[in-house]
Amino acid sequence: MSSSPQGWPAPQQPYPPVPPPPGAPLPSANTNGLAITSLITGVVCLVPPLGMVLGAVALRQIKRRGERGKGLAIAGIVLSLVSTLLVAAGFATGAFRDALDGARKVKEEVASSSSAFSLRTGDCFDQPGGTATEQEVERVKSVDCAKPHDAEVAGSFRLTGSAYPGVPAIEKLAEERCLTIGEKYSQDSWAVPDNAVTFYYHPTEESWRQVKDRTVTCAFAAEKGKLTGSLRADGTTLTPDQLTYLQALNAVDAALAKEPEGDPEADLDGNTAWAGELEKTLGASAARLKGHTFSGAAAQPVADAVKELEKARKHWAKAADAADADTFWEHYEPGYDALPLGFGKEARAALGLSTKAPVEPTD
């Protein structure tokens, strides 16, 4: 008897296995794992040919080892064969390609769809059904501004108060505020296409109550057809020369727009007061242009525009001092003639701004 290195008696050898008594059931054979895998692969169609390969290997192992699972392996081979034939037919007929294209389109639609509540300044989008008619909208489709689109967000403002103001009150406020927001967003009014109109989203009574919606979103929208290209023309897109020129001339346009509805015969005081404000604006705009150093080819055309502003200013100064309607009219006409609709076109061309002058309004 030998001892272990630790000095303990050597372990005894195990007894030989005892055969089962006569009539006792033999242990059951194991199910082949590859047979199971072959069936699963054939059912789920992950890699159809793989199911056939696994099934064939499983059959060989089952025969050699005496395992169970022959039926599973055969079923896996058959299902995989069917799947392989279907896949081959799909590629041959283009059905898979069409399915993938359809899935890709759906994915793109979902990815480009966004909530109307999440629109931000500068976003371009399409509205279901277009923007020609008023409707309630929850989702819009985001569009690259370089591509045709229904509208472009110019900005937004929030409504105040706890009670819902009502649609007429909101629309009245939106028409005023959105016009100003649009003018600031697109300061080159000549570049705004003829089919672009002021457009806005406002809270409904339901969204006001349920999601605390208080935002009015202002936009330019296509009254007909589509808009193409961004209309943004502000400090984020314009050069200092362009911005200075536009702000000076836009101030003049805003002053001209405040002309009283009544003729000087009916409202001389109102007309002379307006002429006085216009004269001050012309002086301020001319001073702003003279105080800025315009570079390159724009310097001379801008200087010429300044001379025209100062010429017009003299007429409006005399109109402001008019003691009667005839004297007012005497300076009204030449004052307007010095500020035609195409005023400053040469300066605009030199500055790289739009040279498409506005069209004379028709009655």
Side-chain angles (χ1 to χ4, degrees):
M1 180 183 293
S2 63
S3 62
S4 70
Q6 290 82 9
W8 295 98
Q12 297 181 355
Q13 296 299 317
Y15 293 101
V18 179
L26 295 174
S28 61
N30 294 326
T31 301
N32 185 272
L34 288 180
I36 298 174
T37 306
S38 172
L39 178 62
I40 294 174
T41 305
V43 171
V44 300
C45 302
L46 293 174
V47 185
L50 179 60
M52 292 189 293
V53 173
L54 294 175
V57 174
L59 288 175
R60 289 196 297 269
Q61 291 182 353
I62 290 169
K63 184 177 181 180
R64 187 174 66 253
R65 300 175 183 176
E67 295 177 320
R68 295 189 304 170
K70 183 178 180 179
L72 299 178
I74 293 174
I77 292 173
V78 173
L79 291 173
S80 296
L81 177 60
V82 173
S83 299
T84 301
L85 293 175
L86 290 175
V87 169
F91 280 116
T93 61
F96 281 178
R97 182 180 63 253
D98 294 341
L100 289 173
D101 289 343
R104 188 180 299 110
K105 290 180 180 179
V106 171
K107 180 180 178 182
E108 291 174 353
E109 288 288 337
V110 172
S112 63
S113 177
S114 58
S115 170
F117 297 101
S118 65
L119 289 170
R120 297 292 181 268
T121 301
D123 288 349
C124 294
F125 63 94
D126 282 340
Q127 174 180 278
T131 54
T133 58
E134 183 177 344
Q135 58 179 304
E136 291 187 17
V137 175
E138 290 185 1
R139 302 198 68 80
V140 296
K141 181 181 179 182
S142 298
V143 180
D144 185 338
C145 290
K147 298 179 180 180
H149 52 273
D150 288 336
E152 178 177 356
V153 179
S156 63
F157 66 92
R158 287 185 61 81
L159 299 171
T160 59
S162 57
Y164 186 64
V167 173
I170 294 177
E171 289 183 341
K172 180 180 179 181
L173 181 61
E175 289 172 2
E176 298 173 356
R177 295 284 298 274
C178 285
L179 180 62
T180 301
I181 287 173
E183 289 173 346
K184 290 182 179 179
Y185 181 80
S186 189
Q187 297 187 36
D188 187 359
S189 59
W190 289 23
V192 177
D194 295 336
N195 67 329
V197 296
T198 300
F199 179 86
Y200 51 84
Y201 287 130
H202 65 77
T204 63
E205 188 170 4
E206 183 178 13
S207 68
W208 179 282
R209 183 180 66 258
Q210 293 184 356
V211 297
K212 308 300 181 183
D213 181 20
R214 301 292 187 272
T215 301
V216 175
T217 301
C218 307
F220 286 102
E223 185 176 28
K224 296 180 180 179
K226 295 278 188 177
L227 302 177
T228 302
S230 175
L231 299 182
R232 190 164 199 163
D234 57 13
T236 66
T237 62
L238 299 172
T239 67
D241 285 358
Q242 292 172 328
L243 193 61
T244 299
Y245 182 83
L246 288 175
Q247 290 177 344
L249 270 297
N250 287 347
V252 175
D253 289 339
L256 286 168
K258 295 179 180 179
E259 180 177 359
E261 294 184 3
D263 291 338
E265 287 83 359
D267 184 12
L268 180 62
D269 290 343
N271 279 271
T272 55
W274 164 69
E277 291 300 319
L278 179 55
E279 183 271 331
K280 291 179 182 178
T281 301
L282 288 166
S285 294
R288 183 169 190 171
L289 294 177
K290 288 192 293 185
H292 180 86
T293 301
F294 289 87
S295 57
Q300 188 56 52
V302 172
D304 293 339
V306 169
K307 292 179 181 178
E308 293 300 314
L309 291 176
E310 292 176 334
K311 179 181 177 181
R313 180 188 178 190
K314 293 178 181 178
H315 287 291
W316 290 109
K318 293 179 180 179
D321 292 335
D324 52 61
D326 289 339
T327 304
F328 183 89
W329 285 122
E330 181 182 346
H331 297 286
Y332 177 93
E333 295 294 342
Y336 256 117
D337 290 342
L339 300 171
L341 286 175
F343 179 86
K345 187 174 183 179
E346 294 77 11
R348 282 176 160 274
L351 289 167
L353 297 169
S354 174
T355 56
K356 184 183 178 181
V359 180
E360 184 75 36
T362 57
D363 295 334

